[in-house]
Amino acid sequence: MKRFLSLVLVVVISLMSFVPAARATALSGDYRQDTSAVVSTLRDSIQLPDDSPDRSAAQTDAKQLINDFTARYRRDGSVAKLSSYTTMRTALNSLAGHYSSYPNRPVPQKLRDRLEQEFKQIELSLSRGS
């Protein structure tokens, strides 16, 4: 019986380790495509109404997407000098800071407006190739 429980425990732990790996591969590795997808997803998540039942799940997904994007491109020297990347990092840091400091509060309108302005700058920079 003890061996069986040990085997079950090993299988459960092994299966749990595959979930983050699958989620981490949500980004394709193409900077322009990934940046556009992240902007679109974050824009949708911050525009959810305050009383939306999906707000908590969207916030959790947004935090994970911010972490994934940051982990993938933080050390990539080819994108570090792009204006779209520096603006993206500013937007991600602002939103992540809000989510960390005020996890149960909706994103304030002032921050939403600023993020929307930064998202537009990012999209413009991407269309220009920078």
Side-chain angles (χ1 to χ4, degrees):
M1 184 68 170
K2 192 174 184 179
R3 285 184 181 190
F4 176 72
L5 290 176
S6 297
L7 179 64
V8 169
L9 182 62
V10 168
V11 169
V12 169
I13 291 173
S14 297
L15 291 176
M16 287 175 55
S17 68
F18 288 117
V19 174
R23 180 175 253 182
T25 60
L27 298 175
S28 68
D30 178 8
Y31 171 73
R32 294 181 193 287
Q33 182 181 8
D34 289 346
T35 303
S36 294
V38 170
V39 165
S40 176
T41 302
L42 294 180
R43 183 179 277 148
D44 292 343
S45 71
I46 65 173
Q47 291 177 353
L48 284 174
D50 297 342
D51 59 349
S52 174
D54 298 332
R55 189 172 64 87
S56 178
Q59 180 176 335
T60 302
D61 291 344
K63 285 192 279 188
Q64 183 62 46
L65 192 58
I66 290 169
N67 289 339
D68 291 347
F69 185 88
T70 301
R72 180 175 286 272
Y73 294 108
R74 172 183 23 218
R75 297 176 195 228
D76 188 347
S78 65
V79 300
K81 298 173 186 168
L82 298 175
S83 62
S84 61
Y85 178 74
T86 56
T87 307
M88 183 69 161
R89 286 299 310 246
T90 301
L92 295 180
N93 288 338
S94 299
L95 190 57
H98 173 77
Y99 285 155
S100 295
S101 299
Y102 309 105
N104 297 324
R105 293 186 187 171
V107 178
Q109 189 61 43
K110 186 175 181 179
L111 180 56
R112 286 182 194 183
D113 294 342
R114 193 175 102 212
L115 288 171
E116 184 58 37
Q117 181 182 9
E118 289 172 347
F119 291 157
K120 287 179 182 177
Q121 283 181 314
I122 292 164
E123 291 169 336
L124 182 62
S125 294
L126 287 175
S127 69
R128 290 180 180 166
S130 61

